[in-house]
């Protein structure tokens, strides 16, 4: 086995086998087939990366197909969002397709099936049909309508199509095998009546084809060679093939359905239906709320497309379902942003420091490196003056030797600036510290080359000059659910695990280079984490979303609980 073969996943092995068996490479075609009934989530990203990744590897076209057969749940807004997300992830589709474009063809094929005695109209109630289905160990019973004449079926089906019957009153069923060990083969429904406008076909159709009837035939129409779907469709494969065999014409590509495991992410839910509930109930502020596991939520949170692609690649494709810890996703974005994000300073929980030996009214512009990981990122100037902010947590009046930040009588270096020593602090009537008085060592300026500038002190703090600070709204997020697998409990609903403290909004102070920023820009706030400019920002008033911290502190916090 060559190196390449050894590293192939099982999906790639299937394709390789087909090619080795004579399937022409030039006829490979894949598709990503979302239903436009919600926004795409991180689970979909796996499917997108799989299908479009195969397209790139095999130099084969990939269609974006909207599986839009249920007008009750589908909307144009979702179509637009899905296109935006796939594009943003960095993929280009060959054709933009819609199952609804095939409604006429599907109808014509259904008529053919009726003529061949392979489909019939059933006007029993859905309850009666369900009651006749049998169980996996007990065969089903035939519908009293199973042996209607072809003429009668054609007439009824045509009248269904014309809109003569009420919603739900009749269905078209495939006539397969009521005793099949595969329950899905027991005369499955192909069409239902639904008087509801469709976002693309309007009121053209009072009947809608069901998923099983639509999916394989759509693949067939588009000449998709390999149709990869998630494991819950494994039992549907037999039906997929039955339907295909009934329309197949010699010489055309016969699509092959194969299944891979759904990807689940910890501390969230990856299901459009459940995510819709969070939106509808106002648990989050829309589909692109930065706490959502949607592609649009992750984008707004500050995730890069590269980090999501890398996450999908890292977890790979599996045959069995499992839960992927969200800290892996966080690792991927941290790794990417470490290379790309410019470093800046901002203080989120400020306390004022007065440098008593620094001349009042004086200021100087200090040199700061934009990204130590990327020399080409260059340098910038940051202002320093007598009054600065540091983080409240970075100061203690007294602390043991392990506290490397500022304490009375102790020294720290201010990043890109001087060494300061805490002399005293001022408190209000309630005992809260309002000001820390420090002195600085004028010879210790970073990068000045003096002996003092090289002097080692244990701690380095970030800071912002008070007079030049830009006020910013900072949105800090925590896990949306407190449980690793909120929808994995038999006796509890996932809504019971909503984290009530998943959003924390504060006012922070940033260095002046952050006064004018644009939506989507990403920064590393030194010592704090990665932050991304939110679209709610206004000129001079930036709003930042915390993407992720610098270290995996979540796991440690959990240990302490
Ligand atoms: P949801 O329950 O969230 O609506 P779905 O499977 O019904 O998911 P579709 O729009 O039908 O959503 O999915 C489009 C494609 O993405 C399908 O091929 C589906 O198998 C795949 N997919 C959906 N969810 C996941 C997931 N969690 N992991 C991997 N692939 C997924
Ligand atoms: Mg679905």
């Amino acid at each position: 086995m060559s190196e390449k073969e050894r590293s192939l996943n099982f999906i790639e092995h299937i394709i390789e086998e087909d090619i080795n068996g004579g399937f022409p490479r030039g006829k490979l075609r894949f598709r990503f087939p979302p239903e436009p009934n919600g926004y795409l989530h991180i689970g979909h990203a796996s499917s997108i990366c799989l299908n479009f990744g195969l397209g790139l590897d095999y130099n084969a076209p990939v269609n974006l197909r909207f599986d839009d057969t249920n007008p009750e749940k589908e909307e144009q807004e979702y179509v637009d969002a899905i296109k935006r997300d796939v594009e943003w992830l960095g993929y280009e589709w060959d054709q933009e397709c819609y199952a609804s474009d095939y409604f006429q063809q599907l109808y014509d094929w259904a008529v053919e099936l009726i003529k061949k005695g392979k489909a019939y109209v059933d006007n029993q109630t859905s309850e009666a049909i369900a009651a006749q289905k049998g169980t996996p160990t007990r065969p089903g019973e035939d519908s009293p309508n199973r042996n209607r004449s072809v003429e009668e079926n054609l007439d009824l089906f045509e009248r269904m199509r014309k809109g003569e019957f009420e919603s739900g009153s009749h269905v078209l069923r495939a006539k397969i095998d009521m005793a099949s060990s595969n329950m899905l083969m027991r005369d499955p429904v192909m069409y239902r009546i639904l008087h509801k406008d469709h976002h693309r076909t309007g009121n053209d159709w009072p009947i809608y084809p069901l998923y099983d009837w639509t999916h394989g035939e759509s693949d067939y129409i588009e000449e998709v060679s390999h149709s990869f779907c998630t494991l819950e469709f494994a039992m549907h494969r037999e039906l997929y093939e039955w339907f295909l065999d009934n329309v197949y014409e010699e010489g055309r590509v016969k699509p092959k359905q194969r299944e891979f495991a759904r990807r689940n992410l910890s501390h969230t839910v990856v299901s459009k239906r459940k995510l819709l509930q969070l939106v509808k109930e106002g648990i989050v502020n829309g589909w692109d709320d930065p706490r959502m596991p949607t592609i649009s939520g992750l984008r707004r949170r500050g995730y890069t497309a590269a980090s999501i692609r890398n996450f999908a690649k890292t977890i790979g494709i599996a045959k069995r379902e499992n839960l992927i810890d969200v800290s892996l996703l966080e690792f991927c974005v941290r790794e990417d942003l470490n290379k790309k994000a410019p470093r800046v300073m901002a203080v989120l929980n400020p306390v004022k420091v007065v440098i008593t030996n620094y001349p009042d009214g004086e200021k100087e512009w200090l040199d700061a490196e934009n990204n130590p990981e990327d020399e080409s990122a260059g340098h910038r100037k940051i202002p320093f003056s007598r009054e600065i902010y540091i983080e409240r947590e970075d100061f203690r009046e007294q602390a043991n030797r392990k506290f490397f930040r500022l304490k009375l009588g102790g020294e720290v270096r201010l990043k890109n600036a001087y060494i300061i020593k805490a002399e005293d602090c001022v408190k209000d009537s309630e005992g809260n510290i309002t000001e820390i008085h420090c002195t600085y060592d004028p010879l210790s300026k970073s990068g000045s080359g003096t002996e003092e500038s090289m002097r080692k002190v244990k701690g380095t703090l970030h800071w912002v000059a008070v007079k030049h600070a830009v006020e910013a709204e900072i949105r800090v997020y925590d896990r949306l659910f407190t449980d690793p697998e909120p929808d994995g409990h038999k006796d509890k609903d996932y809504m019971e695990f909503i984290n009530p403290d998943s959003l924390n909004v504060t006012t922070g102070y940033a260095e002046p280079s952050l006064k004018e920023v644009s939506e989507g820009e990403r920064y590393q706030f030194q010592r704090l984490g990665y932050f991304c400019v939110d679209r709610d920002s206004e000129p001079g008033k930036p709003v930042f979303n915390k993407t992720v911290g610098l270290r995996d502190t979540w796991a440690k916090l959990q240990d302490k609980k």
Side-chain angles (χ1 to χ4, degrees), residues 15 18-19 23-32 51-52 54-56 58-65 92-97 102 218-228 240 252-256:
I15 297 170
D18 287 341
I19 293 171
F23 188 87
R25 252 174 201 276
K27 290 226 172 237
L28 289 174
R29 180 183 285 273
F30 310 104
R31 92 287 173 259
F32 171 65
N51 286 295
F52 284 94
L54 289 170
L56 292 172
Y58 288 96
N59 195 19
V62 184
N63 289 354
L64 174 62
R65 155 135 38 88
E92 237 176 277
W93 53 84
D94 182 47
Q95 296 162 20
E96 178 180 331
C97 305
Y102 312 139
S218 302
D219 287 340
Y220 178 64
I221 292 168
E222 293 170 19
E223 299 197 89
V224 166
S225 60
H226 295 80
S227 179
F228 298 113
Y240 179 99
R252 282 183 63 96
V253 170
K254 191 187 269 188
K256 180 179 258 188

Side-chain angles (χ1 to χ4, degrees), residues 43-292:
H44 292 114
S46 273
S47 178
I48 293 170
C49 293
L50 168 69
N51 286 295
F52 284 94
L54 289 170
L56 292 172
D57 287 349
Y58 288 96
N59 195 19
V62 184
N63 289 354
L64 174 62
R65 155 135 38 88
F66 292 96
D67 232 326
D68 54 348
T69 56
N70 182 4
E72 284 184 307
K73 301 229 165 108
E74 297 156 4
E75 286 174 33
Q76 186 60 40
E77 178 197 341
Y78 298 142
V79 170
D80 298 338
I82 288 170
K83 286 167 65 176
R84 200 157 54 228
D85 289 348
V86 175
E87 241 169 15
W88 177 76
L89 276 175
Y91 295 112
E92 237 176 277
W93 53 84
D94 182 47
Q95 296 162 20
E96 178 180 331
C97 305
Y98 294 84
S100 56
D101 284 348
Y102 312 139
F103 282 172
Q104 186 60 46
Q105 172 70 78
L106 291 166
Y107 178 82
D108 294 343
W109 275 330
V111 169
E112 291 303 312
L113 253 69
I114 294 174
K115 287 183 181 163
K116 287 196 261 180
K118 292 190 173 183
Y120 62 97
V121 173
D122 202 347
N123 59 330
Q124 297 183 94
T125 62
S126 54
E127 292 78 13
I129 293 176
Q132 291 158 0
K133 268 258 142 136
T135 66
T137 51
R138 182 170 51 82
E141 297 155 43
D142 285 3
S143 159
N145 302 312
R146 197 169 198 260
N147 294 314
R148 258 193 230 277
S149 69
V150 168
E151 289 67 37
E152 201 184 342
N153 279 320
L154 286 173
D155 175 60
L156 284 171
F157 189 49
E158 193 182 337
R159 287 166 63 198
M160 280 170 67
R161 194 265 172 270
K162 282 187 181 151
E164 286 184 26
F165 305 122
E166 271 175 45
S167 293
S169 61
H170 295 61
V171 291
L172 182 75
R173 296 175 71 176
K175 192 169 174 179
I176 309 180
D177 180 5
M178 287 306 289
S180 172
S181 58
N182 181 351
M183 299 277 289
L184 294 165
M185 299 298 279
R186 296 184 185 174
D187 292 9
V189 174
M190 295 170 66
Y191 276 93
R192 58 178 179 147
I193 302 175
L194 182 68
H195 293 277
K196 172 104 191 163
D197 281 6
H198 183 280
H199 67 99
R200 295 187 79 244
T201 59
N203 62 3
D204 287 354
W205 292 88
I207 56 173
Y208 290 97
L210 270 81
Y211 176 88
D212 285 313
W213 170 235
T214 313
H215 202 87
E217 320 314 290
S218 302
D219 287 340
Y220 178 64
I221 292 168
E222 293 170 19
E223 299 197 89
V224 166
S225 60
H226 295 80
S227 179
F228 298 113
C229 57
T230 34
L231 283 177
E232 71 272 22
F233 292 103
M235 289 292 279
H236 295 245
R237 197 204 284 180
E238 194 181 351
L239 183 54
Y240 179 99
E241 290 176 354
W242 190 90
F243 279 138
L244 274 184
D245 287 339
N246 274 292
V247 302
Y248 182 70
E249 281 173 35
E250 233 11 84
R252 282 183 63 96
V253 170
K254 191 187 269 188
K256 180 179 258 188
Q257 172 186 307
R258 289 296 179 270
E259 308 82 19
F260 63 97
R262 209 165 251 278
R263 286 312 197 176
N264 303 307
L265 192 67
S266 78
H267 298 93
T268 192
V269 289
V270 279
S271 145
K272 283 177 275 176
R273 179 179 63 78
K274 291 171 189 166
L275 295 173
L276 176 64
Q277 189 182 359
L278 298 176
V279 173
K280 276 199 176 149
E281 293 190 15
I283 305 289
V284 294
N285 301 312
W287 285 98
D288 70 346
D289 185 301
R291 290 167 291 181
M292 290 281 268

Side-chain angles (χ1 to χ4, degrees), residues 475-544:
R475 300 175 182 169
V476 179
Y477 304 99
D478 196 356
R479 307 277 193 259
L480 191 48
F481 292 90
T482 53
D483 189 87
E485 203 175 356
D487 51 4
H489 298 259
K490 279 202 193 84
D491 50 339
K492 280 190 178 162
D493 190 76
Y494 58 96
M495 294 297 275
E496 290 183 46
F497 298 103
I498 299 277
N499 177 1
D501 302 314
S502 59
L503 170 62
N504 184 9
V505 182
T506 59
T507 301
Y509 295 89
E511 61 170 76
S513 71
L514 295 187
K515 192 164 173 127
E516 301 306 332
V517 285
S518 336
E519 179 186 342
E521 282 176 5
R522 305 178 182 92
Y523 295 92
Q524 185 196 94
F525 289 3
Q526 285 178 307
R527 295 182 65 232
L528 296 177
Y530 294 98
F531 292 75
C532 177
V533 180
D534 192 79
R535 64 165 142 79
D536 291 343
S537 299
E538 283 172 33
K541 282 191 194 156
V543 177
F544 288 95

